[in-house]
Amino acid sequence: GAVVSQHPSWVICKSGTSVKIECRSLDFQATTMFWYRQFPKQSLMLMATSNEGSKATYEQGVEKDKFLINHASLTLSTLTVTSAHPEDSSFYICSARNRDRGYGYTFGSGTRLTVV
Amino acid sequence: GNSVTQMEGPVTLSEEAFLTINCTYTATGYPSLFWYVQYPGEGLQLLLKATKADDKGSNKGFEATYRKETTSFHLEKGSVQVSDSAVYFCALLGGTSGSRLTFGEGTQLTVNP
């Protein structure tokens, strides 16, 4: 079936550093990828939508200069948290839309980011 | 705009009990409806879906019927297992949100042996 690989699964970084999270569709081409943030015991908050080869569309209130999204190919999207601060600590999940399977959505396994 | 409302959790049941998690939605047009499950520390997995009114989605003993007249998509299972313990999200696709999924708040289910 459709698989989305997201890594790292967890990362701890120091304040002020940048962290990159990768999301790869392993066996299909993802026309669109979505990045979510999830706080403990809460639902998923959509951060941005990215289409291959074009700039990401950010949701209102999400700082595009802080959360850099690159979707360079049909199988890879990256989220870079720049100059991370403790309040950026969260669970980040990507999702890819599968063009070959009725445009269904497949989610990555998530990345737990802790900024110390 | 679109919205999804789930019954508040957490829900705690004994093994083999009957499960219902309510989900109602607001959307224009004819959205598709989904239930996703999230196990601890993991991403979301599609549990079942329904794309039009009166469709019944089913998987792993779970069922949900797309009821347009009541704008609902309640999740049911006749006999839950400990392994069903997870967070369940109702979601819709379509209407004013285009290609973006709209999620409910999530319902934590704990099944005790």
Side-chain angles (χ1 to χ4, degrees), chain A residues 32 34 36 38 41-44 46 49 59 91 93 97 103 105 107-110, chain B residues 34 36 38 41-46 89 93 98-101 103-106 108:
Chain A
T32 306
F34 304 85
Y36 297 86
Q38 186 180 30
K41 300 186 186 301
Q42 294 189 23
S43 190
L44 282 72
L46 180 64
T49 303
E59 296 298 302
F91 193 59
I93 304 174
R97 200 172 188 201
Y103 291 96
Y105 294 78
F107 286 80
S109 55
Chain B
F34 306 83
Y36 285 89
Q38 183 180 34
E42 298 184 12
L44 275 65
Q45 300 175 28
L46 178 64
F89 290 95
L93 179 68
S99 63
R100 296 177 299 173
L101 284 166
F103 287 94
E105 305 89 345
Q108 172 76 55

Side-chain angles (χ1 to χ4, degrees), chain A residues 91-109:
Chain A
F91 193 59
Y92 294 87
I93 304 174
C94 70
S95 174
R97 200 172 188 201
N98 189 339
R99 180 176 63 185
D100 300 323
R101 289 178 182 247
Y103 291 96
Y105 294 78
T106 302
F107 286 80
S109 55

Side-chain angles (χ1 to χ4, degrees), chain B residues 7 9-21 62 75-86 88 107-113:
Chain B
M7 67 182 287
V11 175
T12 302
L13 296 173
S14 298
E15 205 165 22
E16 300 184 358
F18 184 85
L19 168 71
T20 299
I21 301 178
F62 291 89
L75 181 68
E76 296 182 337
K77 187 174 185 182
S79 177
V80 293
Q81 305 300 313
V82 173
S83 57
D84 294 327
S85 298
Y88 293 81
T107 301
Q108 172 76 55
L109 170 66
T110 301
V111 181
N112 295 317

Side-chain angles (χ1 to χ4, degrees), chain A residues 19-89:
Chain A
V19 173
K20 180 184 286 188
I21 302 170
E22 288 192 353
C23 181
R24 291 181 184 272
S25 56
L26 297 185
D27 51 359
F28 66 96
Q29 294 184 326
T31 52
T32 306
M33 286 192 175
F34 304 85
W35 287 95
Y36 297 86
R37 184 173 180 176
Q38 186 180 30
F39 293 100
K41 300 186 186 301
Q42 294 189 23
S43 190
L44 282 72
M45 180 190 79
L46 180 64
M47 299 173 66
T49 303
S50 72
N51 293 294
E52 184 263 341
S54 62
K55 290 183 179 180
T57 301
Y58 290 82
E59 296 298 302
Q60 191 172 8
V62 178
E63 299 175 61
K64 60 183 178 182
D65 294 330
K66 179 166 190 61
F67 298 99
L68 300 179
I69 291 172
N70 183 279
H71 193 163
S73 75
L74 281 170
T75 59
L76 174 64
S77 177
T78 60
L79 166 67
T80 301
V81 183
T82 63
S83 187
H85 291 285
E87 57 265 31
D88 299 325
S89 299

